[in-house]
Amino acid sequence: MAFNRIREYFSHPYEHPGEGKLVRKIDFFILTFCCLSYFTNYLDRSNLANAYVSGMKEELGFVGNQYNQINTVFTVGYVVGQVPSNLALYHLKPRIFFPSMMLIWGALTMVTAAVHHPRDIMAIRFFQGIAESSTFVGTHYILGSWYTARELGKRSGIFTSSGLAGTMFGGFLQTAIHSSLNGARGMSGWRWLFIIDGLITIPIAIYGLLLFPDTPTTTSAFYLSPAERALAISRVPEVPERRPFNFDFVKRVFSSWYWYGFVMLWIIAGETESFSSNSLLALYMKSTKRYSVAQLNNYPTGVPAVGIVSTLFWATLTDFLGGKRYLVGYWIGITGIVTAAMILNPHASTASHFGAYYWAGSVYACQATFFAWANDAMRWEEDSLRAVVIASMNCGSNAVNAWWSILFYSANFAPKFTKGMWAMIGTSIALVIWTSGLLYIAMKTEKKRIAEAQVEYGDEKNFESVPGGNVKV
């Protein structure tokens, strides 16, 4: 039985003639742009750290915690920009908005090469955070607009993995730029980092401006025929017509369980990523004073590598299982509890510590699957609500993470990070509980929708409940 399901899943993935060709087209034009955009987003966001250790600190005279203040200011801009950015995607053409934001953050990155004081960078990074906030949540909104529940997890996983790939390879790229151009035309290597990283965004932005397909209901892409556009619209549920952004809309958002349920889900899940997002393996290795510089740079790359494999595995599996995204919540809960306990163990070996940190990299899978779950659950709601909820999820997580990492994972807490490990156990338990409650509410909502649809259309229709938040009529 299981073998037949797997064979059917891969051999007969589409219901309508021409659907496979349509999906291949939107895969190419959406995923290539979004993944390249996210990769360069990572480069432009991370180059400050590379520049800081490559001469910028001394040349600009950084003192005290000015570096941390700049990162905080960037986070503030990133948080502030997310909800407005996703609402802009609802009201403006994504083909115009996405590339425009890319050009803005690319230009700001290049301007950073001309700074003379840390406060100059602080002002630039605030606006850069606003511009870059459009990419992650905006892409998840677009993916939910084009793909069915059967397809969404894999695409979300591929997109998320592109950022993890940037985590792995970005540092090597920055090092190569600095070593080859330091002193060229009288400029320090760290200044060239900003110039080249900014230039990289230009051709990608032009590509998006010319070829990004917007959404199924607004697309005018020349490579989609009228029949393919109609098919694209028919593949996703018909949602309520657009309504104005006003006080009534704000009330609808804050009276909806979607906002509270999924925002809190991602706030909790985001902190279970703290093993990896705070580079704890590198800090652990550094505190032991037993590793070379090369080892300190190379060994931690295994964490995002595990994250990529885990993300693609769980994204594909939950697609195959009909949208059971909630399963990842239980996996992450087990992972967080066990790996934290392994590190807290006073008799744990070095191999055990490394094993715990690498295993913890698998929690990255929640990025793709939980945003796909939110998209699935809100397919029948108005797009503006979906846009706000998805943006608010990442906004809330970043707002909490801004102080959570300082409180529990400061570098001076290495090598055990005792407070952080107990916090990890607590958040992992909370994630399991919250996932279970959210699943109950989502399935209760599905049953209500099915009952309402049966009253409206009669019993001649086939109604299928997809666990985790999607109903197919």
Side-chain angles (χ1 to χ4, degrees):
M1 179 67 71
F3 176 76
N4 291 336
R5 287 185 62 194
I6 294 173
R7 184 175 62 181
E8 181 181 357
Y9 178 77
F10 287 104
S11 61
H12 302 288
Y14 304 113
E15 299 179 4
H16 306 288
E19 194 171 0
K21 182 179 179 182
L22 169 65
V23 172
R24 286 190 294 273
K25 284 184 179 182
I26 59 178
D27 275 347
F28 181 82
F29 290 106
I30 291 178
L31 288 180
T32 53
F33 173 76
C34 290
C35 289
L36 288 172
S37 176
Y38 196 35
F39 186 85
T40 58
N41 186 289
Y42 164 79
L43 291 179
D44 290 350
R45 192 184 310 176
S46 66
N47 56 18
L48 183 67
N50 297 98
Y52 185 79
V53 300
S54 302
M56 183 176 73
K57 175 184 177 182
E58 294 77 15
E59 190 170 332
L60 299 187
F62 274 75
V63 295
N65 64 347
Q66 286 180 317
Y67 174 78
N68 302 92
Q69 290 173 357
I70 290 172
N71 283 331
T72 299
V73 166
F74 174 87
T75 301
V76 171
Y78 192 75
V79 169
V80 167
Q82 292 190 48
V83 172
S85 291
N86 257 23
L87 284 174
L89 284 174
Y90 176 68
H91 293 286
L92 304 175
K93 282 185 174 293
R95 180 175 57 85
I96 303 299
F97 183 74
F98 272 145
S100 298
M101 291 299 102
M102 284 198 72
L103 292 174
I104 289 172
W105 90 58
L108 290 170
T109 300
M110 289 188 282
V111 169
T112 309
V115 300
H116 298 288
H117 193 277
R119 64 172 174 265
D120 302 334
I121 303 178
M122 197 173 298
I124 291 171
R125 297 295 277 194
F126 173 76
F127 293 104
Q128 193 168 344
I130 293 176
E132 293 189 15
S133 68
S134 62
T135 303
F136 182 78
V137 294
T139 296
H140 280 292
Y141 168 76
I142 292 296
L143 294 178
S145 300
W146 281 96
Y147 292 105
T148 67
R150 185 186 180 96
E151 304 158 349
L152 183 59
K154 291 188 290 296
R155 275 72 183 181
S156 299
I158 292 170
F159 167 69
T160 302
S161 295
S162 69
L164 295 174
T167 304
M168 290 180 62
F169 299 115
F172 298 120
L173 178 61
Q174 304 285 21
T175 300
I177 293 172
H178 176 265
S179 62
S180 60
L181 289 175
N182 189 32
R185 296 186 177 274
M187 288 198 303
S188 303
W190 66 265
R191 295 185 186 272
W192 282 108
L193 293 180
F194 292 110
I195 293 174
I196 293 178
D197 282 347
L199 289 173
I200 291 173
T201 64
I202 295 176
I204 301 171
I206 294 173
Y207 170 74
L209 183 65
L210 296 176
L211 297 174
F212 196 77
D214 293 319
T215 63
T217 56
T218 63
T219 186
S220 57
F222 68 88
Y223 48 82
L224 295 178
S225 67
E228 287 174 327
R229 294 174 193 172
L231 177 59
I233 294 173
S234 70
R235 281 165 32 91
V236 293
E238 183 178 353
V239 297
E241 63 183 45
R242 294 181 177 227
R243 287 183 278 188
F245 179 73
N246 51 26
F247 184 68
D248 286 338
F249 172 73
V250 174
K251 287 198 300 183
R252 288 198 303 276
V253 170
F254 289 107
S255 62
S256 166
W257 70 263
Y258 298 111
W259 192 89
Y260 297 97
F262 285 108
V263 170
M264 183 56 68
L265 176 73
W266 189 238
I267 288 175
I268 299 171
E271 299 318 320
T272 65
E273 292 184 343
S274 292
F275 272 113
S276 307
S277 61
N278 291 294
S279 304
L280 297 193
L281 177 56
L283 295 176
Y284 161 74
M285 293 172 61
K286 182 75 172 177
S287 69
T288 64
K289 300 180 181 180
R290 297 201 305 262
Y291 300 94
S292 67
V293 173
Q295 289 171 325
L296 289 171
N297 282 308
N298 293 334
Y299 288 1
T301 60
V303 177
V306 171
I308 291 173
V309 174
S310 177
T311 294
L312 295 176
F313 170 78
W314 280 105
T316 303
L317 179 63
T318 56
D319 274 358
F320 170 71
L321 295 176
K324 296 181 180 180
R325 320 289 184 194
Y326 58 88
L327 292 176
V328 178
Y330 300 127
W331 167 255
I332 292 171
I334 294 170
T335 295
I337 293 170
V338 175
T339 53
M342 290 170 66
I343 293 171
L344 286 171
N345 181 5
H347 306 294
S349 64
T350 299
S352 179
H353 278 112
F354 271 83
Y357 283 117
Y358 286 137
W359 180 4
S362 68
V363 306
Y364 273 124
C366 66
Q367 291 187 12
T369 50
F370 283 171
F371 278 88
W373 187 6
N375 269 314
D376 285 343
M378 292 183 286
R379 284 187 183 277
W380 297 87
E381 304 296 333
E382 57 185 295
D383 280 349
S384 55
L385 175 63
R386 184 167 61 88
V388 169
V389 171
I390 289 173
S392 298
M393 288 170 66
N394 213 37
C395 183
S397 179
N398 278 276
V400 172
N401 195 55
W403 56 268
W404 189 274
S405 58
I406 297 173
L407 186 61
F408 293 110
Y409 299 106
S410 293
N412 59 312
F413 293 165
K416 288 290 187 181
F417 299 100
T418 302
K419 289 172 61 177
M421 294 306 104
W422 284 111
M424 182 64 66
I425 291 173
T427 53
S428 297
I429 294 172
L431 180 62
V432 170
I433 295 172
W434 195 266
T435 298
S436 300
L438 191 59
L439 175 62
Y440 171 78
I441 296 173
M443 296 189 73
K444 185 177 179 180
T445 303
E446 289 177 9
K447 291 178 181 178
K448 181 180 178 181
R449 285 181 182 148
I450 292 175
E452 291 175 349
Q454 287 175 333
V455 170
E456 181 176 356
Y457 295 107
D459 292 332
E460 71 275 5
K461 289 271 188 177
N462 178 38
F463 300 94
E464 177 188 355
S465 176
V466 181
N470 189 31
V471 178
K472 180 180 177 182
V473 180

